[in-house]
Amino acid sequence: MEPVVQGDDDPAESVDAVVVGSGFGGSVAAYRLADGGQSVVLMERGRAYPPGSFARTPAEMGRNFWDPDKGLYGLFDAWTFRGLEGIVSSGLGGGSLIYANVLLRKDKNWFVQESPVPGGGYESWPFSRQDLEPYYDAAEAMLRPVPYPYQDTPKTLAMETAARALGLSITRPPIAVTFSQSPGAAPARNQVLPPAPYGSVHGEGTVRTTCTLSGECDIGCNTGAKNTLDHNYLSAAKAAGADIRTHHDVRGIRPLPGGGYEVRYVVHDPADAAPGLLREQLIHCRRLILAAGTFGTTFLLLRNRASLPALSPALGTRFSGNGDLLGFVLDAKDPDGVTRTLSGSMGPVITAAIRTPDSTDGGDGRGYYIEDAGYPSFMNWLLETGQFRQVAKRAGKVMVQLLKDRLFQAQRSNISADLAAALGDGRLSASSVPLLGMGRDIPDGVMTLQGGRLAINWTLATSAAYFGRMQATMQAIATELGGSFKQNPLWWSKRVITVHPLGGAPAGRNSSEGVCDSYGEVFGYPGLHVVDGAVMPGPVGANPALTIAAFAERACHRILDGTGAERQRGGLDTAAFPPGSVDGGTPDGGIPGYQPGPLRALVPDATKGARAPAEEGTFVPRAASRSLGLRSAKFPEAAVSPESEALQEAEIEEETELAETGPSSVSFTEQMHGWFSAGVTDPEAGRSLGRDRSRRMMFELTITAPDIDAFVRDPLHPATAEGYVLADQFGGRLPVERGWFNLFVKDGPEPAGRKMLYRLWLRDPGGTPLTFVGHKDVRNNAGFDVWGDTTTLYVTVLRGHVPPPDPAAPTAPATAPSFRPDNETSAPRNPLDVDKNRAMVAGAGMLFIRPWDFARQLTTFRVAGPNPASALAAFGKVFLGELWQVYGRRMHGRVDAGKAAGRQ
């Protein structure tokens, strides 16, 4: 592949494969492809966590979350949606850094084949357990799971005792934790492990030890006993030649003509506690492997639908939390009433798994697992001190006793027993253990963009029977252990918390059933693969990590050795760009039909949607960057030299003088809201369909007439437009790269209507250019319609950057109405000849000014220049005068006709 121009003169990289994310799908892909001789770049947004680097102190924990807008680059990424909360990981190793180590295979009979139903609440697995068997073996060989070996752990023994009493099936599942220095040796705590033959991704000198049974698996294993992906697949990938990059956050993707993909990304700087905008960068690849997790991958695909218009309508469907449910066994007792010791903080997080069969294998209802869920020892202190009344009561007794000793001079100097009484016996924490359930809930959740943010529509209602059965089993376990069962507090608000989100880009047999085929290759986009939890077409049931890894192993085997390995990869249909489109014409960088488009300055966190700061926009390198206000951003190439500083000061002086002596300008800010649908050519149809399906669009534009005198003289009344368009169908918030506005252009001979014309150049996150074309149709029809005419905008979005027609041309292009003031033919209602340009239309809809937005708009008028009052008056005269030409003359004519009739 030939490089393209990046910035001024930096060539974009080109590699065989880019892997996005480093979890169970991405780490497998990076190793297998690199080991297969391909050049691989893996991009992980988080940082590396060698043993000993995970947060433990309150100060460290307070910053151990992921929100780069706030300068937080920590491990935990917490999400909240309708009906559920989600916690995922951000770091090299992905979810393996915080998962509970369990590596179970998906049950053979749980690869179900159900008929499609509306809403996506069904499972139809296009691959089977048999298809995955050899790849389960391959993943286990790398991850080296073993059953929990210790026979004296209280919580494990209690789970096994309760399961036998209840007649439930229980096993010690394989867990990816190292308990001994060599396979088959007796387990021993805190023993130094020999280095792996492929070394460590963390560098020489990395020391790992055997498990210390600290219960800290879910907050990061500081001993290195946990076989996280950085200690196996990623270390092997680096040894095989993969380029592993942390702090690299992928934002945009689009196919290249002739094969391959362009990837747009930013690089975070964790040392920056108050980050500014980040410079967008490019890399090209023949294959693109998406493995950013269910939330990350689906969000990335939803944001880049304009660049990937052939994506299946199944995108976002079949979301499931893998049936996750958290419960608690509290205050367990032996049959004789003595406190039963469970010690939830001793051992790895999960040591035992109870399996309840599914109706597909002889059970009653949908199957599930219930596992013990340990926790770090510091949680015991939180649990004990959380009993405020008991703590206060104990402390009060001790204080009274000490006071009595002082007042009555009791001859007592040893107060150890008093302090022990104040601390309490720790009975609650010693006799309690969480229970983690997971299984086959109904995958009817739908993931979408709302205001540019990821949203999930999911509810407990459809899986109520499943959760009810699971809760009944948890209750039975608690009763058998002599304790009480307590729900997760979120349950009472009809919410659950999941650590196993699945779906969003489901695999299917065809594009109507799924986004990807049975190997994770996206339908319609050869060379684009999804290999993480997003590709699962339903709940795995068991802990999903091993199934995701096996799926990725199978996908990579197909890429390297399958019959489709030599197929053409990628491709962009340049016919979709209209003639005269700026981005569909002259090639750049040696790739025919392709232009990379400008690099942009992006916010650190793409998930904020409409709340992104207004300064996000196109990045212009070097001296020109000051026009974007980027001098404070961390871009070395944007640094301004002393000569440039002097030039900038001279320009500021010139602008100040021009403001005092030059033309006066008038500006105002307009906000419009409405409905829009992709793939529709008629604005009214797009509005109707968009309203039915809650597909919204809005914009906020600042319209500026830089020279009010020229604006008044020119019959086209031209002005500029700046701001943004918010359209979830095209990835959320799209800054305007360049905008044109015309106020009241004549539409036919007098008495003629008028049109307000809008044309905005946009670019989606993948870099695909779009043109927003809109018009307000102002004409005097029957009734009082001036409000509706001036507040209703008919919108069509085109592919490519289509410039306005030349007003001096003898005939206007078919892609837009004539802008000529002397046009003697009535223009069509829609400024696009849609029948002739269907290939270039990306969608259509209608926007409206709401009354409260109009009231706010009146407060946004600003005037600059030597004559502000006269400039504002001139603008008002043009606006009201044109309205009079349309509505006033006819009304005046009707009045005169009425008077004449009266005289007769």
Side-chain angles (χ1 to χ4, degrees), residues 656-801:
T656 303
E657 182 180 355
L658 187 63
E660 296 173 351
T661 62
S664 297
S665 66
V666 176
S667 66
F668 64 91
T669 299
E670 181 177 54
Q671 192 174 102
M672 300 189 73
H673 298 256
W675 293 270
F676 179 89
S677 290
V680 176
T681 58
D682 177 62
E684 293 189 357
R687 175 220 182 187
S688 178
L689 181 62
R691 189 168 189 171
D692 290 343
R693 300 185 180 181
S694 297
R695 296 172 177 171
R696 297 180 179 273
M697 174 184 271
M698 64 84 65
F699 70 54
E700 183 174 296
L701 300 176
T702 297
I703 308 297
T704 302
D707 185 340
I708 191 62
D709 294 330
F711 177 84
V712 171
R713 289 194 305 269
D714 193 328
L716 299 181
H717 307 308
T720 62
E722 298 176 331
Y724 68 91
V725 174
L726 184 61
D728 291 331
Q729 294 286 297
F730 298 130
R733 180 179 176 135
L734 309 178
V736 175
E737 291 186 8
R738 186 176 180 185
W740 296 263
F741 172 78
N742 296 88
L743 180 69
F744 293 135
V745 177
K746 286 185 180 180
D747 187 21
E750 297 291 1
R754 300 289 190 273
K755 286 188 184 294
M756 295 190 207
L757 303 175
Y758 297 71
R759 184 175 294 261
L760 311 173
W761 281 2
L762 312 171
R763 198 175 295 271
D764 88 322
T768 294
L770 301 167
T771 300
F772 175 108
V773 178
H775 74 284
K776 295 176 182 176
D777 199 4
V778 181
R779 60 184 67 247
N780 192 3
N781 298 318
F784 183 77
D785 56 351
V786 61
W787 170 258
D789 288 353
T790 55
T791 60
T792 301
L793 185 69
Y794 298 87
V795 175
T796 305
V797 176
L798 312 178
R799 296 194 179 279
H801 278 169

Side-chain angles (χ1 to χ4, degrees), residues 109-110 355-365 469:
N109 293 333
W110 293 10
R355 180 185 183 275
T356 300
D358 189 90
S359 58
T360 62
D361 45 24
D364 180 21
R469 293 178 61 244

Side-chain angles (χ1 to χ4, degrees), residues 532-596:
D532 57 14
V535 78
M536 297 292 116
V540 172
N543 310 66
L546 185 62
T547 298
I548 295 170
F551 182 90
E553 288 273 11
R554 181 171 180 259
C556 292
H557 182 266
R558 171 97 177 301
I559 290 172
L560 295 171
D561 302 320
T563 57
E566 300 301 323
R567 285 184 298 168
Q568 179 82 357
R569 297 295 164 188
L572 178 65
D573 182 9
T574 55
F577 291 111
S581 166
V582 171
D583 285 78
T586 306
D588 190 359
I591 302 177
Y594 164 79
Q595 284 189 332

Side-chain angles (χ1 to χ4, degrees), residues 50 114 172 262 281 306 342 407 484 749 801 810:
E114 297 175 342
R172 294 193 179 192
E262 176 183 88
Q281 301 183 49
L342 298 180
L407 291 177
S484 60
H801 278 169

Side-chain angles (χ1 to χ4, degrees), residues 87-405:
I87 297 180
V88 293
S89 174
S90 179
L92 187 63
S96 75
L97 300 176
I98 64 170
Y99 86 134
N101 317 309
V102 177
L103 295 177
L104 283 168
R105 302 188 181 197
K106 179 177 171 66
D107 297 74
K108 178 179 178 180
N109 293 333
W110 293 10
F111 287 85
V112 296
Q113 301 288 332
E114 297 175 342
S115 299
V117 297
Y122 68 97
E123 296 179 60
S124 184
W125 292 75
F127 51 92
S128 67
R129 169 74 174 261
Q130 184 177 0
D131 292 330
L132 292 182
E133 287 290 12
Y135 306 105
Y136 277 131
D137 294 340
E140 287 175 341
M142 290 292 294
L143 298 169
R144 295 179 290 112
V146 295
Y148 181 61
Y150 289 95
Q151 302 303 318
D152 58 352
T153 304
K155 66 170 184 172
T156 311
L157 298 177
M159 287 286 287
E160 291 172 337
T161 299
R164 285 193 296 268
L166 296 170
L168 299 174
S169 172
I170 187 169
T171 61
R172 294 193 179 192
I175 55 178
V177 178
T178 302
F179 296 100
S180 59
Q181 289 181 297
S182 61
R189 302 186 192 184
N190 204 31
Q191 300 298 303
V192 176
L193 294 172
Y198 37 70
S200 173
V201 72
H202 301 298
E204 295 183 7
T206 300
V207 177
R208 300 176 61 199
T209 66
T210 56
C211 183
T212 58
L213 309 185
S214 64
E216 297 180 348
C217 312
D218 286 349
I219 60 172
C221 180
N222 269 333
T223 67
K226 183 176 176 180
N227 300 337
T228 50
L229 295 166
D230 50 331
H231 298 313
N232 38 72
Y233 275 109
L234 290 169
S235 291
K238 183 177 181 181
D243 184 355
I244 296 176
R245 304 178 184 180
T246 55
H247 307 133
H248 282 56
D249 193 352
V250 172
R251 300 295 179 84
I253 56 178
R254 67 166 171 166
L256 296 170
Y261 292 86
E262 176 183 88
V263 179
R264 291 174 175 251
Y265 65 95
V266 297
V267 180
H268 296 289
D269 180 7
D272 191 350
L277 299 180
L278 304 176
R279 180 181 178 179
E280 188 177 51
Q281 301 183 49
L282 301 180
I283 186 171
H284 289 175
C285 56
R286 299 185 186 279
R287 291 183 186 275
L288 177 57
I289 314 295
L290 300 183
T294 292
F295 295 154
T297 290
T298 307
F299 181 62
L300 191 60
L301 289 173
L302 287 169
R303 291 194 77 219
N304 287 273
R305 276 183 297 183
S307 292
L308 302 166
L311 282 174
S312 165
L315 179 62
T317 63
R318 312 258 276 285
F319 172 82
S320 161
N322 201 45
D324 283 2
L325 183 68
L326 182 64
F328 302 91
V329 176
L330 301 179
D331 202 17
K333 294 180 176 63
D334 289 331
D336 56 3
V338 177
T339 296
R340 181 191 291 267
T341 299
L342 298 180
S343 299
S345 61
M346 180 180 179
V349 168
I350 293 175
T351 62
I354 294 173
R355 180 185 183 275
T356 300
D358 189 90
S359 58
T360 62
D361 45 24
D364 180 21
R366 302 175 79 89
Y368 53 87
Y369 287 81
I370 295 177
E371 301 162 348
D372 58 314
Y375 51 83
S377 59
F378 68 77
M379 294 296 295
N380 289 324
W381 290 101
L382 296 179
L383 185 61
E384 291 295 336
T385 57
Q387 304 174 82
F388 181 76
R389 293 175 61 184
Q390 290 85 342
V391 171
K393 185 177 180 180
R394 293 196 303 266
K397 285 183 177 180
V398 171
M399 294 300 295
V400 169
Q401 182 61 49
L402 294 177
L403 183 61
K404 289 168 61 178
D405 290 347

